[in-house]
Amino acid sequence: MQKSLHLDPNKCTGCLQCEMACAWENYRSFTVAKSRIKVFTFHREGRFVPYTCTQCDEAWCMTACPVDAIRLDPETGAKIVLEPTCVGCKVCTIACPFGTINYVAQTGKVQKCDLCGGAPACAKACPTGAITYVDSDWTGFGKMRQWAGKTDTNPATV
Amino acid sequence: MAWTKNVLRVNLETGSCTTEPLNLAWAQDYLGQRGLATKYLVSEIDPKVDPFSPKNKLIFVTGPLTGTMAATGGRYSVVTKGPLTGAIACSNSGGYFGAELKFAGWDMVIFEGASPKPVYLLIQDGKAELVDAAHLWGKTVWETEEMLKRFHQDPQIRVAAIGRAGENRVLYAGIVNDLHRAAGRSGVGAVMGSKNLKAVAVRGTRTDAYTMADPEAFMRATEAGKQVLAANGVTGQGLPTYGTQVLMNVINELGALPTRNHRDIQFEGAQAISGEAMHTKRPTDGKANLVTNGACFGCTIACGRISRMDPSHFSIQDKPQYQGASGGVEYEAAWALGAANGVSDLETLTYANFLCNEDGFDPISFGATVGAAMELYELGLLTKEQVGFELPFGSTEAMVKLAELTARGEGFGKEIGLGSKRLCAKYGRPELSMTVKGQEFPAYDGRGLQGMGLAYATSNRGACHLRGYMVSPEVLGIPVKMEPQATEGKPAMLKAFQDLTAVVDSSGLCLFTTFAWGLSDIQPQIQAACEGDWSEERLLLVGERIWNLEREFNLAAGLTGKDDTLPPRLLKEPAKTGPQKGAVSKLPQMLPEYYRVRGWTPEGVPTAETRTRLGV
Ligand code: SF4
Ligand code: SF4
């Protein structure tokens, strides 16, 4: 079964544990500037929104890469960057409509979410359940359940 | 190493920014943050210095666990000699700023001297420079942050700034970071203003600035800590749901909620300004005051309140900038802006709180000072002509006006900006000031909770609930239940709390973890992060050393044991209602015992033996 990261902004508190977990996984550092998942604060709306790569099937970044450095991980469905192949031309960062693949000056390569090979560190670190790693075919399950709970099975007759 | 080992020294006089290595021997003795910066300050300034003199210094400091995955590992402190008290001032803040400073590679920034013109400090990793802030002077904290991000074209910059309160030297001006998190108390923002320093803007992207001593053990220890927080009723449910406001009804029912400048000890309007009320839909617009809860950096508790006001409230009708969501009231603020003045309109409190964040002043000292002014007004010692408007207890209009005037230093706001000690002295009734060492009480009455009375009287930064939170044993039964009116065992318990708190404040962690965590939960996290031996015994010794160092500074600054006291109202006027009816503070019974367990003389001075034992 393929799994996807499921992000629920309503549960997010903006604690950045996910960002630290991501940076730790890839850099052994807590510096959130290196995280591939970003949590945005919309202060005036009182909303925190975690955001990262959705692993498009027909991924713009993958299609755009001139040296074929972005490949499909058949296990997880993730589009992953092959660092030794990447030439740092940044075409993928232009191609991606969502901004979730970015250049890293420190390495001269690009980076994006790779689902940590099937055990995403952000989902494990999130204390609120705002990030979960669920069956790709059922990312709507939670919302369906919520609406199902609102169904009035015994409508009062008027 | 969990320390970056780098100190940034900024000479505001000459404009130079220099790097020096952290004194690692001191780090072993004082851990970090509060303790370590105090050691630097005490070693570098004359304790008798005028807090507003360029000779005073201002230190921003992180802890070894700041910027780590330890739950709540995002705190920083600001340490200086405080203008409100003339004592050591150390204010702690959360948000994201502290971690960013660490990511940029700094344990500490020491500001010395005063700048001839307004400046801000820009830190981008290892690069630091002072930049002209003429265009920012006179702006609010909120405007300043927005302008800095726009000017530097970097929305990821974190900003700590003073508002107009700090510029105008409101004696309890704070430093606000990330829009609504504050190093709020004791006037650290006024010192910053006196140095012509408007803001510190920082962006940190280094991955090599510090490491954990034992990374695997650190991840294990912090994960275990998070599970304890999640499973605990206070940190896992109470605080996320109600914030610290979970206490409002509890403390009121217990008869320990100071009301109308401590004339009363219960507030009839408590329910209306409580955490529960923040969740209740307003009749006016059908929405609740509370929008959501929010966390500081790395925090798995998330006590923060994000509120949205009723847009039709009289205070903000034509002011769109206050109609969006922002930092809502926590318990101390709700008390100070509400019960302390008899104001029971949650929307008024929220507005005043927004202004405290926007212009950088401490809602506790501000609200308590307004309460004192209202009492002076009701006694006829202040008149409508002097104030400019009516100032009776309970007036929402007066609260709104004073919140607007104080930071700007306009009208009667200028006098409110002096704090209650100076205000009450000016109008001939110094005893009506509800302060210790010049700093206003927070939201617990020292008659209702005897241990809190002792904690206030002995706190090194003036009246404060964050130096030894005796509410834990006296109300919540943590770690053991102590009766509110009992005195026995409280001096020793308070000492233990004060020392433990000094450790937590020096580590980078939030004190609120201690509702769930004991030292045995904290110790493995510090041990795994920091080189050296950090046994529980050693940590408590570090805490005790910090407490005594602060005390020695205060004594050298001219304070004495006589300042370890409470206003006559608490010592003589019995509580009027509720379960603690008839109670006065039994401070005289507890203080000698406290000095004894501290290893101090009957005059409150550390004995030679204590000094040697702690190496202070
Ligand atoms: S860890 Fe979860 S709650 Fe915290 S910021 Fe990330 S998504 Fe939000
Ligand atoms: S408990 Fe509250 S104050 Fe402490 S770090 Fe968490 S959100 Fe911030």
Side-chain angles (χ1 to χ4, degrees):
Chain A
M1 175 182 62
Q2 194 166 305
K3 286 183 153 191
S4 293
L5 281 176
H6 186 258
L7 309 178
D8 183 352
N10 287 326
K11 290 185 179 153
C12 178
T13 59
C15 72
L16 306 195
Q17 281 284 345
C18 52
E19 292 196 18
M20 277 192 281
C22 182
W24 183 257
E25 180 75 21
N26 297 297
Y27 293 85
R28 279 290 176 271
S29 155
F30 299 118
T31 300
V32 296
K34 289 291 184 280
S35 172
R36 299 160 183 190
I37 184 163
K38 276 286 139 197
V39 179
F40 294 87
T41 304
F42 297 94
H43 189 71
R44 281 181 68 87
E45 286 83 49
R47 272 165 66 81
F48 303 97
V49 184
Y51 199 80
T52 191
C53 173
T54 57
Q55 316 294 352
C56 322
D57 265 8
E58 294 177 44
W60 278 269
C61 60
M62 195 160 72
T63 313
C65 179
V67 294
D68 209 11
I70 300 174
R71 306 273 179 85
L72 168 75
D73 177 345
E75 285 282 300
T76 60
K79 310 300 168 301
I80 57 175
V81 179
L82 299 181
E83 274 216 12
T85 313
C86 172
V87 295
C89 72
K90 313 176 193 68
V91 169
C92 55
T93 68
I94 302 165
C96 172
F98 309 106
T100 48
I101 183 162
N102 284 283
Y103 181 63
V104 184
Q106 198 178 322
T107 57
K109 315 282 176 183
V110 295
Q111 70 169 9
K112 69 181 287 301
C113 170
D114 59 4
L115 295 176
C116 300
C122 55
K124 180 163 175 280
C126 177
T128 64
I131 308 176
T132 47
Y133 192 52
V134 301
D135 182 352
S136 294
D137 292 358
W138 281 104
T139 51
F141 192 83
K143 265 191 222 161
M144 272 173 91
R145 189 175 187 281
Q146 222 175 349
W147 284 98
K150 288 182 190 167
T151 309
D152 194 346
T153 49
N154 188 15
T157 41
V158 188
Chain B
M1 197 169 270
W3 300 273
T4 69
K5 305 191 293 281
N6 284 323
V7 175
L8 177 63
R9 191 175 287 276
V10 180
N11 187 317
L12 292 159
E13 205 98 32
T14 63
S16 75
C17 298
T18 47
T19 308
E20 62 187 50
L22 183 74
N23 186 325
L24 288 172
W26 286 357
Q28 288 291 322
D29 282 346
Y30 293 93
L31 189 55
Q33 211 180 342
R34 171 175 161 190
L36 193 53
T38 302
K39 179 65 181 169
Y40 269 85
L41 188 84
V42 166
S43 309
E44 294 190 12
I45 71 166
D46 172 3
K48 293 227 156 44
V49 74
D50 172 356
F52 287 146
S53 148
K55 295 210 169 78
N56 191 12
K57 298 192 184 185
L58 182 77
I59 304 180
F60 283 61
V61 62
T62 63
L65 297 189
T66 307
T68 73
M69 275 179 86
T72 79
R75 315 287 307 185
Y76 78 100
S77 292
V78 181
V79 181
T80 188
K81 179 172 176 179
L84 190 64
T85 57
I88 190 92
C90 171
S91 284
N92 179 308
S93 181
Y96 304 111
F97 175 86
E100 198 73 18
L101 194 59
K102 197 90 181 275
F103 297 149
W106 304 101
D107 291 319
M108 198 185 289
V109 184
I110 303 175
F111 292 98
E112 46 193 41
S115 171
K117 59 178 181 29
V119 288
Y120 65 94
L121 177 69
L122 177 68
I123 300 176
Q124 289 161 313
D125 291 338
K127 197 167 133 247
E129 58 177 327
L130 289 170
V131 188
D132 184 78
H135 60 301
L136 299 175
W137 207 253
K139 301 288 183 209
T140 68
V141 170
W142 296 355
E143 291 165 336
T144 300
E145 175 162 331
E146 202 188 315
M147 289 168 78
L148 283 170
K149 287 179 169 174
R150 204 173 338 116
F151 180 76
H152 292 287
Q153 299 190 355
D154 189 351
Q156 301 192 66
I157 283 178
R158 303 293 187 188
V159 177
I162 54 167
R164 291 172 293 191
E167 292 178 11
N168 293 323
R169 301 192 191 181
V170 168
L171 289 179
Y172 43 81
I175 299 167
V176 180
N177 56 281
D178 304 293
L179 303 178
H180 63 110
R181 287 288 172 177
R185 298 218 74 191
S186 307
V188 293
V191 173
M192 188 156 158
S194 78
K195 298 192 171 306
N196 260 329
L197 178 64
K198 179 66 182 177
V200 180
V202 51
R203 182 81 203 288
T205 68
R206 292 181 54 187
T207 53
D208 58 349
Y210 54 96
T211 52
M212 300 296 97
D214 183 343
E216 275 64 46
F218 183 75
M219 294 314 249
R220 271 198 312 276
T222 52
E223 181 53 37
K226 285 170 195 167
Q227 282 174 18
V228 173
L229 293 179
N232 179 277
V234 179
T235 51
Q237 282 156 25
L239 286 173
T241 310
Y242 295 112
T244 51
Q245 274 274 63
V246 70
L247 285 166
M248 184 63 76
N249 288 320
V250 176
I251 300 295
N252 188 48
E253 274 153 34
L254 197 76
L257 190 72
T259 300
R260 288 175 284 266
N261 205 34
H262 288 63
R263 286 205 310 206
D264 297 300
I265 198 165
Q266 286 183 304
F267 182 39
E268 65 288 351
Q271 173 65 43
I273 60 169
S274 67
E276 290 80 351
M278 290 174 79
H279 276 276
T280 309
K281 287 191 176 127
R282 292 179 287 244
T284 39
D285 64 350
K287 298 203 172 103
N289 176 282
L290 187 77
V291 179
T292 188
N293 65 324
C296 297
F297 184 90
C299 177
T300 59
I301 302 172
C303 77
R305 303 292 89 187
I306 307 294
S307 288
R308 189 186 287 115
M309 288 182 64
D310 171 3
S312 69
H313 191 257
F314 78 94
S315 60
I316 62 160
Q317 266 164 18
D318 306 313
K319 299 175 191 161
Q321 70 266 41
Y322 305 111
Q323 293 179 2
S326 196
V329 286
E330 48 84 48
Y331 171 60
E332 308 297 331
W335 165 79
L337 302 167
N341 321 283
V343 175
S344 57
D345 173 31
L346 182 58
E347 298 300 305
T348 294
L349 272 48
T350 307
Y351 176 63
N353 197 63
F354 281 0
L355 295 189
C356 288
N357 290 331
E358 188 190 24
D359 257 325
F361 54 109
D362 170 19
I364 302 179
S365 285
F366 165 72
T369 303
V370 173
M374 285 176 168
E375 180 157 13
L376 291 169
Y377 180 85
E378 297 217 334
L379 292 170
L381 298 162
L382 260 175
T383 63
K384 187 178 164 195
E385 287 63 44
Q386 284 165 308
V387 179
F389 40 86
E390 311 255 20
L391 192 56
F393 277 120
S395 168
T396 51
E397 289 81 7
M399 172 50 73
V400 163
K401 282 208 186 89
L402 288 173
E404 290 169 350
L405 293 172
T406 297
R408 295 186 211 141
E410 288 168 8
F412 192 68
K414 198 159 184 62
E415 306 208 15
I416 295 293
L418 297 172
S420 102
K421 177 182 160 189
R422 289 164 181 84
L423 182 84
C424 292
K426 177 167 177 184
Y427 293 98
R429 296 293 294 275
E431 77 284 3
L432 291 182
S433 166
M434 296 298 121
T435 51
V436 174
K437 302 181 175 80
Q439 177 158 286
E440 290 73 11
F441 289 114
Y444 317 86
D445 197 295
R447 293 166 292 195
L449 302 175
Q450 294 295 336
M452 274 314 277
L454 181 64
Y456 292 149
T458 58
S459 157
N460 285 328
R461 69 163 186 179
C464 176
H465 57 296
L466 297 172
R467 286 297 177 271
Y469 195 64
M470 292 295 283
V471 174
S472 280
E474 294 185 301
V475 178
L476 306 168
I478 304 170
V480 290
K481 178 86 186 106
M482 294 181 124
E483 285 311 312
Q485 287 305 324
T487 55
E488 205 184 324
K490 286 193 178 164
M493 178 63 83
L494 176 62
K495 173 187 178 288
F497 263 82
Q498 287 171 335
D499 294 349
L500 175 66
T501 301
V503 173
V504 175
D505 286 349
S506 301
S507 68
L509 299 174
C510 176
L511 190 57
F512 292 169
T513 56
T514 58
F515 286 117
W517 287 351
L519 190 54
S520 59
D521 298 292
I522 295 169
Q523 184 275 333
Q525 305 186 49
I526 296 179
Q527 181 65 70
C530 303
E531 281 72 10
D533 154 42
W534 297 97
S535 65
E536 291 185 24
E537 299 68 39
R538 168 113 184 275
L539 284 169
L540 282 180
L541 198 68
V542 167
E544 188 177 8
R545 183 177 296 127
I546 295 166
W547 191 265
N548 278 270
L549 184 69
E550 293 173 338
R551 178 74 175 186
E552 296 280 11
F553 177 86
N554 286 351
L555 294 172
L559 280 83
T560 69
K562 291 203 177 60
D563 296 297
D564 298 336
T565 187
L566 297 169
R569 176 163 283 169
L570 297 195
L571 296 168
K572 290 180 195 143
E573 279 179 36
K576 287 182 196 150
T577 61
Q580 319 302 332
K581 190 173 171 186
V584 294
S585 168
K586 300 171 201 163
L587 179 68
Q589 277 161 254
M590 295 180 283
L591 194 60
E593 170 72 3
Y594 173 82
Y595 285 172
R596 208 184 55 73
V597 297
R598 273 259 167 243
W600 295 353
T601 67
E603 289 73 45
V605 179
T607 61
E609 195 199 323
T610 301
R611 282 178 177 152
T612 319
R613 183 168 61 84
L614 298 171
V616 169

